[in-house]
Every structure is written in C-alpha cells, then in structure tokens.
Amino acid sequence: MTSYKQLEVQFEEPNPKKWCVPLKEDVFVKFMNKGNFITHKALCEGSLFSPLLFGKFFDPSDAFPLWEFDSDVLLSNAKSSNNNQYKVDWIQTETDYVLKTEIPGVGKGIICVSVEDGKVLEVSAQLRLKVETGTKDWRAGNWWEHGCVRRIELPENSDWKKTEALMSNGDHKFLEVKIPKIPPNICDVP
C-alpha cells in the first residue's frame, strides 16, 4: 500500500524573472539529444512536464487551460500511439478539480506545488540541486537545464487558497493536486 505525505502549497505573487526564458522546440530537441537519463525520464513523452504532452510542442512554462479539456480527448492520439504510457489525468467533480500524475525521474529532486496570483497552478521539480549559473533561483534563465515545470491556468471558480497536494512516499512518485470549486451561491440560482 502506497503512503502519501502532504506537500505545502506555496502562494506566490507573479515573479517576472521566473520562467522568463521560453523553451523553444529546437532548443528542447538539442537538449534532449545531449541530456542525461534523469532529464530524459522527467521530460519524456507521457510526463506532466513533457512539452509534447498534448500531441504537439507546447512550452510547459506557459500556462495551459487544462480543465477546459477532457483528458481522454486531449491525450487520445498520444495515448493510442504510445501504448498508454501516459501517467497524467485530470478530472472535475462537482466539488473539485483534480490532477493526478506520476512524477518520473525526480528521485531526490525537490517538488514544488504553488499557486501564482490565484490564477496559475504550478508544479515544478528541481532535478539538479546545484545551480551553477550564478543565480540563486534555478527558474530564471535556462530552467530546463536544472528542472522541469508545468503551469496550468486555474478556472475562475476555483477556491485556490484551499489547494491541497499529496505526494507518494514510494520509489515511484505520484502527485495528486486537489483544488476545491467555489460552491455556487444559492442566491445566484434563478
């Protein structure tokens, strides 16, 4: 039986230095061609962090409106062509938005779940714990050389201040993020 620990969700103001260098497709291809095993595993197809998660290249540092799409539909081509290697799922219930994903290749890396300005859910993993760029924040500059990220737009009716994140304790890392929905106001019903 897998046990889970609660992660502290950070609530942040926008930081213009964070994710300021976009990951372009040609840079990604070159980086993956020279990358190491950990990088390949963390950014592989099917990973939440993969720029190819949605069937075509999409910079994971750009916020994506994930909950506007059904996971089975958005990932259908990729799932059928990849023998269901995808370990990402998201659903809406009547009360919550839920993201479930395997976090491959992280090992002893640092996983961070944060909500930026109440509008963007951010899941990041620092894979290289020693940053040699002269900056204290690995997320500035060529962030993909030190870790990975997926930024997701939050729906307007999300109660983002109550976001919860759970991480499995086993060898295989699984993350579950739950964002409650703001209940509809009874007075709003016609």
Side-chain angles (χ1 to χ4, degrees):
M1 179 175 196
T2 304
S3 63
Y4 287 83
K5 68 176 181 177
Q6 185 140 12
L7 297 179
E8 180 181 351
V9 177
Q10 305 290 318
F11 298 101
E12 303 175 342
E13 296 295 319
N15 179 345
K17 293 182 180 179
K18 197 168 70 166
W19 320 120
C20 64
V21 178
L23 177 59
K24 303 286 187 196
E25 189 168 7
D26 61 328
V27 173
F28 174 70
V29 170
K30 287 177 190 173
F31 181 69
M32 290 300 281
N33 285 336
K34 70 175 187 174
N36 62 30
F37 175 74
I38 293 171
T39 303
H40 278 273
K41 202 163 183 177
L43 297 174
C44 69
E45 281 190 61
S47 163
L48 175 70
F49 302 119
S50 173
L52 302 170
L53 178 63
F54 306 121
K56 64 178 190 170
F57 188 87
F58 188 86
D59 181 355
S61 70
D62 287 337
F64 185 81
L66 190 71
W67 279 282
E68 291 180 13
F69 300 91
D70 180 87
S71 66
D72 289 336
V73 173
L74 190 60
L75 300 177
S76 64
N77 289 339
K79 283 183 177 182
S80 64
S81 67
N82 248 343
N83 300 323
N84 273 336
Q85 291 181 25
Y86 282 66
K87 305 270 195 275
V88 179
D89 195 20
W90 59 92
I91 60 168
Q92 283 187 60
T93 67
E94 288 202 21
T95 59
D96 301 294
Y97 295 99
V98 181
L99 171 68
K100 295 180 181 184
T101 184
E102 181 177 2
I103 307 287
V106 174
K108 294 182 181 180
I110 299 169
I111 301 292
C112 181
V113 177
S114 60
V115 175
E116 181 181 284
D117 201 28
K119 297 178 182 175
V120 176
L121 172 69
E122 188 174 284
V123 178
S124 62
Q126 184 177 357
L127 303 176
R128 291 181 57 205
L129 300 180
K130 291 183 181 179
V131 179
E132 300 141 6
T133 62
T135 180
K136 293 181 181 180
D137 189 348
W138 68 273
R139 303 169 297 179
N142 295 346
W143 51 266
W144 55 88
E145 294 176 358
H146 307 284
C148 43
V149 65
R150 174 62 65 190
R151 292 172 38 93
I152 301 166
E153 289 178 15
L154 289 173
E156 286 186 28
N157 69 335
S158 62
D159 195 354
W160 56 272
K161 290 181 182 176
K162 295 181 180 174
T163 300
E164 295 180 354
L166 299 172
M167 175 69 76
S168 68
N169 288 322
D171 290 336
H172 294 286
K173 299 290 186 193
F174 291 93
L175 175 70
E176 180 174 324
V177 180
K178 186 184 293 185
I179 305 110
K181 291 181 178 180
I182 298 172
N185 189 338
I186 296 173
C187 298
D188 292 343
V189 178

